[in-house]
Amino acid sequence: MPAPLRALLDRWHKELDPHPPGRTVVPPSARALLLAATAQRRGEPVLAIVAGEREAEDLVDDVALFSDEVLHLPAWETLPFEHVSPNVVTMAKRVQARHRLQQGESVVVVASVRAVTQRVSPTSTNPIVLELGIHNDFDGFIESIVQLGYLRTDRVEARGDMAVRGGIVDIYPPNQERPVRLDFWGDDLESIRTFSPSSQRSLDELDHVEIYPARELVIDDRIVERARELLVDAPWAAETWDRLTERVTFQGMESWLPWLAHPRTVLDETDGIVFLFDPARCSDRAGDLITEEADLAAALASTWGDGAPDAGAHPPLYLPLEIEHHACLLYT
């Protein structure tokens, strides 16, 4: 269903636009309209940052009243140093939102401070786009899907699964509501259909599909090379680095991202407009995240083994929120 209040965006006047960098007072009830109108009129991505995750989810729902082009950039549910992988849907939403921001498209992306200050993976966010009637290298496509982190199974039931039966490929992209069934004749894609994961029956026909990576951290050549360097620089975690050099996907490998990625955040990946709501609260929240991570490191450092970094010497997952030089600060 299209955004019910989309027509109101046509009444937005240029004089109402905030101009980053700068400071503007915006009542909470006008936040969604401001974001949707700015993205439409400027024709470029808008990244809106709020203090909390629940606040971000609510703002996404509000913006959806005015625009169909709105995405949530969620934060991981996991803690730093917790050897548990984030939910696959969370990772897929992050990948999709980051990709749209990087492409410079007219879209509103809403994120909490936690989501924005988290170090990002070096893995490419580009999806594989398939269209009916387009010639594809079937074997190359299967290899590409596996490289995107999909798990090959006999039956596709969960997000991130894929199955191959002759020329039929079932795959469940985490960014899709339902899995899709791709019917190839040789290298030609003849049909794209959604299907029910419970009954396996085909449902709606599609003319194209975007398949985003199934994980936020995919073990590619860059990760393998970095893991080899870490075998020398950080031998205390040699068991982990060995698994990465052998391209073995394992539970909780995302928790090692600070050692594998450069200190970059979503803010380093986009040239779009950045709106920071309630700057004081956001600044405090960013500081709290850094403090909480440091406290957690202090509590766990003694369990990391001989040669491991002391508490405070580890590469952090959460980085400082430093955007005032190019963001528009919005007050209520």
Side-chain angles (χ1 to χ4, degrees):
M1 184 180 71
L5 301 181
R6 185 181 184 88
L8 294 179
L9 300 184
D10 296 333
R11 303 182 183 182
W12 187 265
H13 298 293
K14 180 179 178 181
E15 293 76 15
L16 298 175
D17 285 354
H19 298 286
R23 300 169 184 264
T24 306
V25 175
V26 179
S29 58
R31 289 181 176 184
L33 176 59
L34 166 71
L35 296 173
T38 301
Q40 175 177 281
R41 209 189 65 75
R42 298 284 290 269
E44 56 185 307
V46 171
L47 174 60
I49 305 171
V50 293
E53 194 68 15
R54 180 59 182 271
E55 191 176 352
E57 294 172 355
D58 290 343
L59 185 53
V60 168
D61 292 340
D62 291 344
V63 176
L65 296 173
F66 300 94
S67 174
D68 300 321
E69 298 296 327
V70 56
L71 295 171
H72 178 211
L73 177 76
W76 287 355
E77 315 88 357
T78 55
L79 297 172
F81 318 116
E82 184 179 19
H83 298 323
V84 177
S85 293
N87 183 280
V88 65
V89 176
T90 296
M91 291 191 286
K93 286 182 177 181
R94 285 182 58 84
V95 169
Q96 186 176 16
R98 288 172 55 204
H99 176 72
R100 295 291 300 277
L101 285 172
Q102 293 168 21
Q103 294 305 300
E105 301 174 354
S106 176
V107 63
V108 177
V109 173
V110 183
S112 67
V113 170
R114 184 180 180 190
V116 164
T117 59
Q118 177 186 310
R119 188 184 299 238
V120 292
S121 168
T123 297
S124 172
T125 61
N126 294 331
I128 295 176
V129 181
L130 296 177
E131 297 180 12
L132 286 179
I134 301 299
H135 185 80
N136 300 273
D137 176 3
F138 181 79
D139 292 334
F141 167 69
I142 299 301
E143 183 179 351
S144 298
I145 292 299
V146 173
Q147 291 176 351
L148 290 184
Y150 285 83
L151 177 64
R152 193 161 181 170
T153 63
D154 295 329
R155 177 187 171 103
V156 169
E157 296 178 315
R159 287 178 168 86
D161 286 352
M162 66 167 291
V164 181
R165 302 184 306 279
I168 296 178
V169 181
D170 288 350
I171 185 167
Y172 202 157
N175 60 297
Q176 301 281 351
E177 289 296 324
R178 292 191 177 97
V180 293
R181 179 162 291 152
L182 310 172
D183 192 352
F184 286 86
W185 177 260
D187 289 333
D188 294 326
L189 180 57
E190 293 196 327
S191 73
I192 306 173
R193 292 166 292 173
T194 62
F195 68 93
S196 167
S198 57
S199 68
Q200 297 289 301
R201 291 185 178 181
S202 297
L203 300 171
D204 301 323
E205 294 188 2
L206 305 175
D207 56 10
H208 76 283
V209 63
E210 293 183 345
I211 302 174
Y212 282 89
R215 306 185 74 101
E216 199 164 352
L217 177 63
V218 175
I219 306 175
D220 54 20
D221 291 342
R222 288 176 297 178
I223 295 299
V224 170
E225 182 60 31
R226 177 58 182 154
R228 287 175 179 154
E229 295 173 356
L230 288 166
L231 280 170
V232 177
D233 300 336
W236 58 275
E239 183 179 351
T240 295
W241 314 141
D242 280 336
R243 283 190 286 181
L244 291 173
T245 59
E246 294 170 3
R247 299 178 186 268
V248 176
T249 299
F250 56 93
Q251 177 64 227
M253 68 181 192
E254 291 81 9
S255 64
W256 297 96
L257 183 63
W259 281 268
L260 300 169
H262 293 296
R264 288 170 53 84
T265 69
V266 172
L267 292 164
D268 298 307
E269 297 184 319
T270 180
D271 294 324
I273 304 168
V274 179
F275 288 151
L276 181 67
F277 291 96
D278 297 328
R281 287 182 59 218
C282 288
S283 179
D284 289 344
R285 179 57 179 149
D288 290 343
L289 288 168
I290 293 173
T291 300
E292 290 167 6
E293 182 176 0
D295 292 343
L296 192 56
L300 296 175
S302 61
T303 69
W304 291 347
D306 295 338
D310 296 330
H314 68 283
L317 176 64
Y318 296 111
L319 304 172
L321 181 66
E322 298 175 346
I323 63 174
E324 291 195 16
H325 61 286
H326 68 272
C328 187
L329 309 184
L330 303 180
Y331 297 84
T332 55

